[in-house]
Amino acid sequence: MAATDSGYTQDEYIQTERSTPTRYASRVSYDRAAVHAVIDEALVCHVGFIRDGAPVVLPTVHARNGDTLYIHGSSGGRFSLLDGEPVGVTITLIDGLVFARSWLHHSAPYRSVVIHGTARVVRSEEEKLSAMAALIDHVAEGRSKDTRPATRKELAKTAIVAIELAEVSLKARGSHIGEEPEDVGLPYWAGHIPLRLTAGAPVPDENLAQGVRIPDYLVGYSRGGIQA
């Protein structure tokens, strides 16, 4: 299957030296749909880069538009200085806790995407607006059309960084227990506890204009389910 300029075949990202794990290779996937599902469900990503000769890792919000990842920051912050620099991005979902009979085999079901790429600070006003809309819709689909768009002054205060999804891998662990055969008969509880991000009932702002109803997309709000 032929590769595209973005670093993937029709169904999978191309495996590279940097996207090849050094441990648990059987847990790794380059499936584009599976990668996108994790990116789209998660609310937070962590961005790593070098600043003044030292490593920095910062959390932020993100959104995906096709095979471009957008991250959000302030025009006065460090993300605004990343244009053309190498970055690493991790996005992780914890789906549970695994309790084994031994210390070593305690673990957690997870899905984690690792992205290697080059940062591009978005300069175009059109792309910036599109990226900001994607960031809002990432939190709640349809929200960008249900709120006031950013003004030029607000755009100037905002830094949007784009990273092309080319060198990407997904690593996942299920809820199984890796146990030593001789430990199976020990009198200790073993199993797993599923974890899920749950949302409470929406709480309206005390200054909400009269007659404004809660949008349908916020009723029963959720971020996907457990993939153990």
Side-chain angles (χ1 to χ4, degrees), residues 2-181:
T4 72
D5 293 337
S6 298
Y8 58 85
T9 66
Q10 183 176 346
D11 300 315
E12 293 189 340
Y13 288 103
I14 297 172
Q15 182 176 352
T16 68
E17 183 177 355
R18 290 196 298 184
S19 66
T20 300
T22 56
R23 300 181 71 240
Y24 297 115
S26 62
R27 297 180 182 175
V28 175
S29 169
Y30 301 94
D31 181 80
R32 293 181 67 237
V35 167
H36 292 176
V38 172
I39 294 174
D40 295 346
E41 180 179 339
L43 287 170
V44 176
C45 71
H46 288 80
V47 184
F49 53 93
I50 301 296
R51 178 62 60 218
D52 298 326
V56 179
V57 179
L58 296 176
T60 188
V61 294
H62 66 275
R64 179 184 63 84
N65 187 353
D67 277 285
T68 301
L69 183 77
Y70 290 106
I71 62 173
H72 175 273
S74 166
S75 59
R78 284 174 281 190
F79 287 161
S80 65
L81 305 175
L82 290 178
D83 203 33
E85 295 192 16
V87 294
V89 181
T90 60
I91 301 172
T92 302
L93 297 169
I94 297 295
D95 292 322
L97 298 170
V98 170
F99 293 85
R101 296 170 180 82
S102 63
W103 292 5
L104 180 64
H105 292 297
H106 280 67
S107 189
Y110 68 88
R111 291 164 286 152
S112 182
V113 168
V114 175
I115 302 162
H116 301 277
T118 301
R120 173 175 61 85
V121 175
V122 175
R123 309 293 186 190
S124 159
E125 182 175 307
E126 181 180 1
E127 185 182 6
K128 205 169 187 180
L129 283 169
S130 175
M132 289 184 70
L135 287 161
I136 298 297
D137 287 335
H138 177 79
V139 178
E141 185 63 36
R143 185 63 180 171
S144 66
K145 295 180 180 179
D146 202 22
T147 45
R148 176 182 64 78
T151 64
R152 287 194 171 184
K153 185 177 181 180
E154 290 169 335
L155 280 178
K157 293 180 179 180
T158 304
I160 301 292
V161 176
I163 303 158
E164 299 306 315
L165 299 177
E167 288 188 86
V168 186
S169 62
L170 165 65
K171 204 170 192 179
R173 186 197 191 279
S175 58
H176 62 279
I177 301 175
E179 204 77 90
E180 303 300 331

